[in-house]
PDB file of all heavy atoms in Angstrom:
ATOM      1  N   TRP K  21      68.246  91.722 170.013  1.00  0.00           N
ATOM      2  CA  TRP K  21      69.288  91.651 170.988  1.00  0.00           C
ATOM      3  C   TRP K  21      70.602  91.176 170.315  1.00  0.00           C
ATOM      4  O   TRP K  21      70.614  90.195 169.586  1.00  0.00           O
ATOM      5  CB  TRP K  21      68.923  90.671 172.120  1.00  0.00           C
ATOM      6  CG  TRP K  21      69.995  90.600 173.165  1.00  0.00           C
ATOM      7  CD1 TRP K  21      70.175  91.476 174.160  1.00  0.00           C
ATOM      8  CD2 TRP K  21      71.034  89.643 173.261  1.00  0.00           C
ATOM      9  NE1 TRP K  21      71.192  91.077 174.925  1.00  0.00           N
ATOM     10  CE2 TRP K  21      71.783  89.990 174.428  1.00  0.00           C
ATOM     11  CE3 TRP K  21      71.405  88.539 172.476  1.00  0.00           C
ATOM     12  CZ2 TRP K  21      72.894  89.231 174.803  1.00  0.00           C
ATOM     13  CZ3 TRP K  21      72.515  87.809 172.868  1.00  0.00           C
ATOM     14  CH2 TRP K  21      73.174  88.111 174.022  1.00  0.00           C
ATOM     15  N   VAL K  53      94.284 118.178 200.925  1.00  0.00           N
ATOM     16  CA  VAL K  53      95.202 119.046 200.184  1.00  0.00           C
ATOM     17  C   VAL K  53      95.592 118.323 198.814  1.00  0.00           C
ATOM     18  O   VAL K  53      95.908 117.178 198.812  1.00  0.00           O
ATOM     19  CB  VAL K  53      96.564 119.231 200.970  1.00  0.00           C
ATOM     20  CG1 VAL K  53      97.536 119.997 200.183  1.00  0.00           C
ATOM     21  CG2 VAL K  53      96.271 119.879 202.345  1.00  0.00           C
ATOM     22  N   GLY K  82      83.382 139.121 171.311  1.00  0.00           N
ATOM     23  CA  GLY K  82      82.493 139.781 170.294  1.00  0.00           C
ATOM     24  C   GLY K  82      83.178 140.212 169.068  1.00  0.00           C
ATOM     25  O   GLY K  82      82.470 140.717 168.164  1.00  0.00           O
ATOM     26  N   MET K  86      87.244 134.789 163.774  1.00  0.00           N
ATOM     27  CA  MET K  86      88.036 134.183 162.678  1.00  0.00           C
ATOM     28  C   MET K  86      87.469 132.825 162.337  1.00  0.00           C
ATOM     29  O   MET K  86      87.059 132.105 163.216  1.00  0.00           O
ATOM     30  CB  MET K  86      89.469 133.958 163.068  1.00  0.00           C
ATOM     31  CG  MET K  86      90.342 135.226 162.707  1.00  0.00           C
ATOM     32  SD  MET K  86      92.092 134.920 162.797  1.00  0.00           S
ATOM     33  CE  MET K  86      92.270 134.123 164.364  1.00  0.00           C
ATOM     34  N   ASP K 115     116.061 134.979 159.495  1.00  0.00           N
ATOM     35  CA  ASP K 115     116.344 134.171 158.276  1.00  0.00           C
ATOM     36  C   ASP K 115     115.220 133.164 157.984  1.00  0.00           C
ATOM     37  O   ASP K 115     115.386 132.407 157.062  1.00  0.00           O
ATOM     38  CB  ASP K 115     117.675 133.429 158.445  1.00  0.00           C
ATOM     39  CG  ASP K 115     118.853 134.348 158.579  1.00  0.00           C
ATOM     40  OD1 ASP K 115     118.703 135.596 158.186  1.00  0.00           O
ATOM     41  OD2 ASP K 115     119.916 133.990 159.106  1.00  0.00           O
ATOM     42  N   LEU K 124      98.503 121.773 170.133  1.00  0.00           N
ATOM     43  CA  LEU K 124      97.530 121.574 171.250  1.00  0.00           C
ATOM     44  C   LEU K 124      98.340 121.502 172.504  1.00  0.00           C
ATOM     45  O   LEU K 124      98.463 120.428 173.139  1.00  0.00           O
ATOM     46  CB  LEU K 124      96.697 120.354 171.046  1.00  0.00           C
ATOM     47  CG  LEU K 124      95.754 120.570 169.819  1.00  0.00           C
ATOM     48  CD1 LEU K 124      95.255 119.203 169.275  1.00  0.00           C
ATOM     49  CD2 LEU K 124      94.532 121.378 170.236  1.00  0.00           C
ATOM     50  N   SER K 144     114.606 105.783 163.773  1.00  0.00           N
ATOM     51  CA  SER K 144     115.112 106.417 164.958  1.00  0.00           C
ATOM     52  C   SER K 144     114.409 105.987 166.249  1.00  0.00           C
ATOM     53  O   SER K 144     113.328 105.413 166.203  1.00  0.00           O
ATOM     54  CB  SER K 144     115.111 107.924 164.799  1.00  0.00           C
ATOM     55  OG  SER K 144     113.729 108.363 164.855  1.00  0.00           O
ATOM     56  N   ASN K 158     103.685 107.666 176.907  1.00  0.00           N
ATOM     57  CA  ASN K 158     102.463 107.431 176.108  1.00  0.00           C
ATOM     58  C   ASN K 158     102.525 108.013 174.733  1.00  0.00           C
ATOM     59  O   ASN K 158     102.193 107.435 173.729  1.00  0.00           O
ATOM     60  CB  ASN K 158     101.205 108.024 176.829  1.00  0.00           C
ATOM     61  CG  ASN K 158     100.999 107.475 178.225  1.00  0.00           C
ATOM     62  OD1 ASN K 158     101.396 106.337 178.472  1.00  0.00           O
ATOM     63  ND2 ASN K 158     100.300 108.200 179.057  1.00  0.00           N
ATOM     64  N   ASP K 188     125.644 108.235 179.219  1.00  0.00           N
ATOM     65  CA  ASP K 188     124.617 107.742 178.314  1.00  0.00           C
ATOM     66  C   ASP K 188     124.590 108.498 177.021  1.00  0.00           C
ATOM     67  O   ASP K 188     124.401 107.917 175.934  1.00  0.00           O
ATOM     68  CB  ASP K 188     123.234 107.870 178.949  1.00  0.00           C
ATOM     69  CG  ASP K 188     123.024 106.862 180.119  1.00  0.00           C
ATOM     70  OD1 ASP K 188     123.777 105.899 180.123  1.00  0.00           O
ATOM     71  OD2 ASP K 188     122.074 107.058 180.922  1.00  0.00           O
ATOM     72  N   LEU K 200     114.817 116.572 176.043  1.00  0.00           N
ATOM     73  CA  LEU K 200     115.367 117.264 177.151  1.00  0.00           C
ATOM     74  C   LEU K 200     114.305 118.252 177.708  1.00  0.00           C
ATOM     75  O   LEU K 200     113.576 118.848 176.940  1.00  0.00           O
ATOM     76  CB  LEU K 200     116.582 118.085 176.686  1.00  0.00           C
ATOM     77  CG  LEU K 200     117.746 117.298 176.002  1.00  0.00           C
ATOM     78  CD1 LEU K 200     118.707 118.257 175.397  1.00  0.00           C
ATOM     79  CD2 LEU K 200     118.442 116.391 177.023  1.00  0.00           C
ATOM     80  N   LYS K 225     127.133 117.672 170.186  1.00  0.00           N
ATOM     81  CA  LYS K 225     127.731 118.034 168.867  1.00  0.00           C
ATOM     82  C   LYS K 225     128.747 116.929 168.475  1.00  0.00           C
ATOM     83  O   LYS K 225     128.809 116.525 167.316  1.00  0.00           O
ATOM     84  CB  LYS K 225     128.539 119.350 169.008  1.00  0.00           C
ATOM     85  CG  LYS K 225     127.638 120.549 169.229  1.00  0.00           C
ATOM     86  CD  LYS K 225     128.308 121.796 168.915  1.00  0.00           C
ATOM     87  CE  LYS K 225     128.250 122.091 167.456  1.00  0.00           C
ATOM     88  NZ  LYS K 225     128.765 123.410 167.176  1.00  0.00           N
ATOM     89  N   HIS K 229     123.971 114.296 167.975  1.00  0.00           N
ATOM     90  CA  HIS K 229     122.624 113.948 168.486  1.00  0.00           C
ATOM     91  C   HIS K 229     121.665 115.071 168.128  1.00  0.00           C
ATOM     92  O   HIS K 229     122.015 116.209 167.896  1.00  0.00           O
ATOM     93  CB  HIS K 229     122.671 113.772 170.002  1.00  0.00           C
ATOM     94  CG  HIS K 229     123.315 112.564 170.459  1.00  0.00           C
ATOM     95  ND1 HIS K 229     123.397 111.390 169.736  1.00  0.00           N
ATOM     96  CD2 HIS K 229     123.949 112.346 171.616  1.00  0.00           C
ATOM     97  CE1 HIS K 229     124.120 110.494 170.421  1.00  0.00           C
ATOM     98  NE2 HIS K 229     124.421 111.013 171.578  1.00  0.00           N
ATOM     99  N   GLY K 276      93.208 124.982 180.047  1.00  0.00           N
ATOM    100  CA  GLY K 276      92.135 124.386 179.292  1.00  0.00           C
ATOM    101  C   GLY K 276      92.020 124.878 177.870  1.00  0.00           C
ATOM    102  O   GLY K 276      91.171 124.374 177.097  1.00  0.00           O
ATOM    103  N   GLY K 280      99.827 125.963 172.453  1.00  0.00           N
ATOM    104  CA  GLY K 280     101.270 125.751 172.440  1.00  0.00           C
ATOM    105  C   GLY K 280     101.852 125.821 171.016  1.00  0.00           C
ATOM    106  O   GLY K 280     101.144 126.283 170.118  1.00  0.00           O
ATOM    107  N   VAL K 284     110.768 123.440 164.672  1.00  0.00           N
ATOM    108  CA  VAL K 284     111.965 122.652 164.213  1.00  0.00           C
ATOM    109  C   VAL K 284     112.880 123.626 163.436  1.00  0.00           C
ATOM    110  O   VAL K 284     112.436 124.172 162.523  1.00  0.00           O
ATOM    111  CB  VAL K 284     111.478 121.532 163.309  1.00  0.00           C
ATOM    112  CG1 VAL K 284     112.723 120.715 162.832  1.00  0.00           C
ATOM    113  CG2 VAL K 284     110.491 120.579 164.011  1.00  0.00           C
ATOM    114  N   GLY K 314      92.441 130.398 172.593  1.00  0.00           N
ATOM    115  CA  GLY K 314      93.663 130.578 173.403  1.00  0.00           C
ATOM    116  C   GLY K 314      94.755 131.299 172.625  1.00  0.00           C
ATOM    117  O   GLY K 314      95.508 132.118 173.145  1.00  0.00           O
ATOM    118  N   LEU K 316      94.368 133.527 170.320  1.00  0.00           N
ATOM    119  CA  LEU K 316      94.008 134.952 170.313  1.00  0.00           C
ATOM    120  C   LEU K 316      94.441 135.664 171.547  1.00  0.00           C
ATOM    121  O   LEU K 316      94.936 136.755 171.588  1.00  0.00           O
ATOM    122  CB  LEU K 316      92.511 135.152 170.100  1.00  0.00           C
ATOM    123  CG  LEU K 316      92.050 135.368 168.627  1.00  0.00           C
ATOM    124  CD1 LEU K 316      90.526 135.488 168.619  1.00  0.00           C
ATOM    125  CD2 LEU K 316      92.712 136.535 168.018  1.00  0.00           C
ATOM    126  N   LEU K 322     100.933 139.149 173.996  1.00  0.00           N
ATOM    127  CA  LEU K 322     102.377 139.351 173.585  1.00  0.00           C
ATOM    128  C   LEU K 322     102.546 140.440 172.533  1.00  0.00           C
ATOM    129  O   LEU K 322     103.618 140.945 172.368  1.00  0.00           O
ATOM    130  CB  LEU K 322     102.942 137.987 173.083  1.00  0.00           C
ATOM    131  CG  LEU K 322     102.975 136.890 174.125  1.00  0.00           C
ATOM    132  CD1 LEU K 322     103.566 135.655 173.556  1.00  0.00           C
ATOM    133  CD2 LEU K 322     103.784 137.306 175.358  1.00  0.00           C
ATOM    134  N   LEU K 327     100.493 144.972 177.965  1.00  0.00           N
ATOM    135  CA  LEU K 327      99.930 143.659 178.395  1.00  0.00           C
ATOM    136  C   LEU K 327     101.097 142.651 178.620  1.00  0.00           C
ATOM    137  O   LEU K 327     101.046 141.900 179.623  1.00  0.00           O
ATOM    138  CB  LEU K 327      98.952 143.075 177.410  1.00  0.00           C
ATOM    139  CG  LEU K 327      97.515 143.577 177.544  1.00  0.00           C
ATOM    140  CD1 LEU K 327      96.593 142.876 176.579  1.00  0.00           C
ATOM    141  CD2 LEU K 327      97.008 143.383 178.966  1.00  0.00           C
ATOM    142  N   ASP K 340     107.615 133.496 192.224  1.00  0.00           N
ATOM    143  CA  ASP K 340     108.133 133.878 193.530  1.00  0.00           C
ATOM    144  C   ASP K 340     107.298 133.234 194.628  1.00  0.00           C
ATOM    145  O   ASP K 340     107.840 132.799 195.664  1.00  0.00           O
ATOM    146  CB  ASP K 340     108.046 135.408 193.660  1.00  0.00           C
ATOM    147  CG  ASP K 340     109.199 136.092 192.931  1.00  0.00           C
ATOM    148  OD1 ASP K 340     110.069 135.397 192.503  1.00  0.00           O
ATOM    149  OD2 ASP K 340     109.084 137.318 192.780  1.00  0.00           O
ATOM    150  N   ILE K 343     108.575 129.766 195.031  1.00  0.00           N
ATOM    151  CA  ILE K 343     109.917 129.754 195.706  1.00  0.00           C
ATOM    152  C   ILE K 343     109.699 129.996 197.161  1.00  0.00           C
ATOM    153  O   ILE K 343     110.359 129.306 198.018  1.00  0.00           O
ATOM    154  CB  ILE K 343     110.847 130.850 195.072  1.00  0.00           C
ATOM    155  CG1 ILE K 343     111.210 130.408 193.643  1.00  0.00           C
ATOM    156  CG2 ILE K 343     112.095 131.032 195.904  1.00  0.00           C
ATOM    157  CD1 ILE K 343     111.933 131.462 192.883  1.00  0.00           C
ATOM    158  N   SER K 400     103.367 118.917 193.854  1.00  0.00           N
ATOM    159  CA  SER K 400     103.164 120.168 193.107  1.00  0.00           C
ATOM    160  C   SER K 400     103.166 121.327 194.108  1.00  0.00           C
ATOM    161  O   SER K 400     102.237 121.542 194.846  1.00  0.00           O
ATOM    162  CB  SER K 400     101.861 120.115 192.345  1.00  0.00           C
ATOM    163  OG  SER K 400     101.580 121.407 191.742  1.00  0.00           O
ATOM    164  N   THR K 405     100.141 126.268 200.210  1.00  0.00           N
ATOM    165  CA  THR K 405      99.813 127.627 200.595  1.00  0.00           C
ATOM    166  C   THR K 405     100.289 127.884 201.991  1.00  0.00           C
ATOM    167  O   THR K 405     100.645 126.953 202.710  1.00  0.00           O
ATOM    168  CB  THR K 405      98.312 127.853 200.541  1.00  0.00           C
ATOM    169  OG1 THR K 405      97.697 127.052 201.564  1.00  0.00           O
ATOM    170  CG2 THR K 405      97.695 127.429 199.275  1.00  0.00           C
ATOM    171  N   SER K 422     110.205 107.685 210.685  1.00  0.00           N
ATOM    172  CA  SER K 422     110.730 106.430 211.147  1.00  0.00           C
ATOM    173  C   SER K 422     111.534 105.719 210.107  1.00  0.00           C
ATOM    174  O   SER K 422     111.766 104.539 210.161  1.00  0.00           O
ATOM    175  CB  SER K 422     109.564 105.567 211.659  1.00  0.00           C
ATOM    176  OG  SER K 422     108.554 105.585 210.673  1.00  0.00           O
ATOM    177  N   VAL K 423     111.902 106.418 209.009  1.00  0.00           N
ATOM    178  CA  VAL K 423     112.679 105.766 207.996  1.00  0.00           C
ATOM    179  C   VAL K 423     114.036 105.506 208.398  1.00  0.00           C
ATOM    180  O   VAL K 423     114.793 106.373 208.913  1.00  0.00           O
ATOM    181  CB  VAL K 423     112.747 106.656 206.722  1.00  0.00           C
ATOM    182  CG1 VAL K 423     113.761 106.155 205.744  1.00  0.00           C
ATOM    183  CG2 VAL K 423     111.305 106.666 206.036  1.00  0.00           C
TER     184      VAL K 423
END
Side-chain angles (χ1 to χ4, degrees):
Chain K
W21 181 84
V53 176
M86 267 193 312
D115 298 340
L124 293 158
S144 68
N158 299 336
D188 287 347
L200 303 169
K225 295 196 84 171
H229 291 332
V284 178
L316 264 179
L322 296 182
L327 276 182
D340 284 346
I343 291 170
S400 171
T405 67
S422 45
V423 168

